[in-house]
Amino acid sequence: EEQLAFASRTLCHELNLEASELVPRSTKVSHSFRVAAKGVVAAQSFRRMSEHHRSYSMDKAVPLRTIEQIDLDIPRTASGEAELLSCLGVARALLLRHAAEDPELGYCQGMNMVAALFAVAAQSQEEAFSRFRAFTRSLRGLWEPGFPL
């Protein structure tokens, strides 16, 4: 409730409204207002969380052509599978982070399928990336020129 009250004040501030203008004191808080306020709480939590985790500042070093290729391949990844569709954003983030941290290997076609599988199987994006990175390091030859396994 404390977070909801804070979110309500934040939402009113963002909308340049007095709390009494948005929700009269004599009425209960509407469902849509509660949903919006909870969205503010979630956004603030995400912002705080991202301050403590990787900033993705290295992504700026990823060549535009690599990003374009990832963005072409990502929609082809799920083949209509609902579970895969729900994780495509995480898979894209894994691929961008990998390309930023391993510019020598970068991104190669086929990595999107592997990243999607790790995104679905993991409990968090950090866990998915850790597993994806370990996999790509152990089987690096799958994506190197000449397929040198």
Side-chain angles (χ1 to χ4, degrees):
E1 284 301 311
E2 185 178 314
Q3 282 186 327
L4 187 58
F6 176 76
S8 298
R9 288 190 306 273
T10 303
L11 187 58
C12 288
H13 175 75
E14 292 296 321
L15 296 173
N16 291 323
L17 295 173
E18 293 294 323
S20 60
E21 292 178 65
L22 193 59
V23 182
R25 289 178 191 253
S26 62
T27 62
K28 286 188 168 186
V29 176
S30 71
H31 174 71
S32 58
F33 184 78
R34 281 187 165 287
V35 169
K38 287 179 181 180
V40 170
V41 169
Q44 289 172 337
S45 296
F46 179 74
R47 192 177 312 137
R48 277 194 305 274
M49 183 177 67
S50 65
E51 289 170 3
H52 300 295
H53 292 105
R54 189 172 184 279
S55 69
Y56 294 94
S57 61
M58 289 177 56
D59 288 354
K60 294 175 186 173
V62 176
L64 181 59
R65 181 68 190 125
T66 300
I67 296 169
E68 291 171 346
Q69 189 61 53
I70 290 171
D71 289 343
L72 283 173
D73 291 344
I74 282 291
R76 303 174 192 154
T77 304
S79 302
E81 294 292 324
E83 196 169 17
L84 285 174
L85 282 169
S86 70
C87 294
L88 291 183
V90 173
R92 183 180 187 274
L94 299 179
L95 295 168
L96 287 171
R97 183 171 172 184
H98 169 75
E101 292 184 5
D102 188 353
E104 182 183 333
L105 183 57
Y107 171 75
C108 301
Q109 283 186 316
M111 284 184 175
N112 57 315
M113 301 300 265
V114 176
L117 292 174
F118 283 105
V120 168
Q123 297 295 315
S124 69
Q125 184 170 324
E126 193 59 38
E127 177 190 350
F129 182 73
S130 177
R131 290 179 173 192
F132 177 71
R133 180 179 49 213
F135 183 83
T136 56
R137 284 181 178 167
S138 67
L139 294 172
R140 190 176 183 87
L142 282 174
W143 294 286
E144 288 183 338
F147 197 63
L149 281 176

